[in-house]
Amino acid sequence: MSDDSNLTAREFLNAIFEQILPHVSNPKAFAREWERLTGQLDKQIKDLNKLETDDDHAEQWKRMCKRDDMSRQLILLVRTQLANSYLFDDLWLQHSQGCSVLSDYAEMLNGPGLERRRGDAWSGHTCDGINWTSYERRMMPDFPEKRLDFRGSTTTGQPYYGCLDHAISNLICKVWGFSGFIDTKPHKPERGWFPSTAFNIGWWRDSSMYLAVMLCLGVNILDDQPFLEDLKDTQQIDIDIMPEPKEKLRAVLNAKSIRPKLWARIQDQIGKRAKEAGAKASQQQ
């Protein structure tokens, strides 16, 4: 199992895009609009970078507002196109892999005796914290009939449609930056909330985001043998002796350095799919 974090945040987002594309309501329109918006975002960031040594804060603020507007459009595009997909319904998503990891995670967050430590793998989510316009709010699709409660602390903005929405929306805001989100360049506070190149596991304290991405990639982490064998060999964690799925999940997420391990496993899966797609393309030529 790889321990290298080679994927950039943009490459990670692009890989998720490839995975969700077949499941959106209109793949051709979605791909076309995704390309248009991401291209415009790239241009806005390029123009912002030219202002790095400028003292024209008014122009900088203007361009950052445009960037934020396009980021919201991209998030809204994803939500409207995946509103009726199983990917944005936590119950359907986990059912697709025959497991209950997301509902078990939510139940444990709401249960007694969960010790949360700074930097550990246990956290929750509720809303995105984005200041949406009234028009954008009206454009939001309806939520799934039954939504899990992940006990998040952010109560402003729009509620997430599910764990995968949390992951994608957060990643969009990190790839191009977003005003009001965590400053990714603390040594340059005057340029706060600019894009990040490398994916940082510190962004995702909420492990349901990793679990959801793995489910999107077709993997239930509790059935992922290379991952489980690594935990057994390095930390003597053997979930086979545990009778309940919830206890298996608790043991896995309480393992040392679990978030780097989950991130490494996601990269393994993305790399595997890229190789399979390349081999398939070669056969068709």
Side-chain angles (χ1 to χ4, degrees):
M1 186 168 62
S2 171
D3 291 323
D4 296 327
S5 298
N6 295 321
L7 284 179
T8 65
R10 179 66 177 274
E11 290 169 340
F12 185 22
L13 181 61
N14 288 344
I16 293 177
F17 164 78
E18 294 293 338
Q19 194 67 28
I20 66 177
L21 182 59
H23 304 283
V24 300
S25 59
N26 189 328
K28 287 185 178 180
F30 176 73
R32 184 170 58 249
E33 190 66 3
W34 177 279
E35 184 176 356
R36 181 184 72 83
L37 287 170
T38 56
Q40 289 184 358
L41 280 163
D42 289 341
K43 184 179 184 304
Q44 285 298 320
I45 296 307
K46 186 177 181 180
D47 291 342
L48 272 168
N49 285 333
K50 293 177 181 177
L51 299 173
E52 183 170 5
T53 58
D54 274 357
D55 293 325
D56 190 351
H57 296 294
E59 180 63 22
Q60 191 177 81
W61 176 250
K62 179 181 177 181
R63 292 188 182 277
M64 288 177 73
C65 287
K66 286 184 179 180
R67 183 271 316 273
D68 293 350
D69 177 65
M70 284 182 282
S71 294
R72 294 198 309 274
Q73 289 183 48
L74 189 58
I75 294 171
L76 183 57
L77 172 69
V78 173
R79 290 179 180 177
T80 54
Q81 286 280 326
L82 284 175
N84 297 315
S85 169
Y86 78 95
L87 295 174
F88 265 27
D89 186 307
D90 290 330
L91 295 177
W92 287 9
L93 179 57
Q94 65 182 11
H95 181 69
S96 71
Q97 301 305 320
C99 67
S100 58
V101 292
L102 298 179
S103 54
D104 286 344
Y105 186 87
E107 188 174 337
M108 282 189 282
L109 284 177
N110 284 278
L114 180 63
E115 181 184 355
R116 301 196 201 184
R117 301 176 301 276
R118 180 176 178 83
D120 69 7
W122 296 96
S123 187
H125 61 264
T126 302
C127 298
D128 55 30
I130 294 174
N131 185 21
W132 297 93
T133 67
S134 57
Y135 172 77
E136 291 166 342
R137 288 181 181 274
R138 289 196 299 271
M139 293 295 291
M140 292 283 179
D142 294 332
F143 291 97
E145 290 186 7
K146 185 175 181 181
R147 298 172 63 241
L148 299 173
D149 177 13
F150 288 92
R151 295 179 61 87
S153 58
T154 302
T155 57
T156 59
Q158 283 287 108
Y160 288 112
Y161 288 78
C163 297
L164 190 62
D165 178 26
H166 186 193
I168 296 174
S169 298
N170 180 275
L171 198 51
I172 287 172
C173 292
K174 292 299 193 296
V175 169
W176 289 282
F178 195 89
S179 300
F181 270 50
I182 294 174
D183 186 359
T184 55
K185 293 187 180 296
H187 60 292
K188 295 182 179 179
E190 72 280 1
R191 300 186 66 219
W193 306 295
F194 259 49
S196 291
T197 301
F199 177 78
N200 185 345
I201 59 169
W203 296 339
W204 288 10
R205 293 186 296 275
D206 183 348
S207 290
S208 70
M209 301 161 80
Y210 297 99
L211 298 175
V213 170
M214 289 293 285
L215 291 171
C216 178
L217 294 170
V219 179
N220 166 20
I221 201 67
L222 298 185
D223 286 336
D224 186 15
Q225 289 308 310
F227 175 80
L228 297 176
E229 288 172 8
D230 176 71
L231 288 184
K232 188 175 181 179
D233 292 341
T234 60
Q235 300 189 42
Q236 291 74 54
I237 296 175
D238 184 1
I239 68 170
D240 289 337
I241 64 175
M242 301 173 187
E244 299 296 329
K246 190 187 303 182
E247 295 311 309
K248 295 176 187 285
L249 181 63
R250 185 190 297 272
V252 166
L253 294 184
N254 280 337
K256 295 178 181 177
S257 303
I258 186 58
R259 285 183 294 163
K261 291 181 179 295
L262 290 171
W263 171 230
R265 197 67 189 120
I266 285 172
Q267 292 186 101
D268 287 342
Q269 291 297 319
I270 290 173
K272 175 184 176 182
R273 278 155 180 74
K275 290 179 181 177
E276 291 173 349
K280 186 177 180 180
S282 298
Q283 292 173 357
Q284 293 175 346
Q285 289 179 353

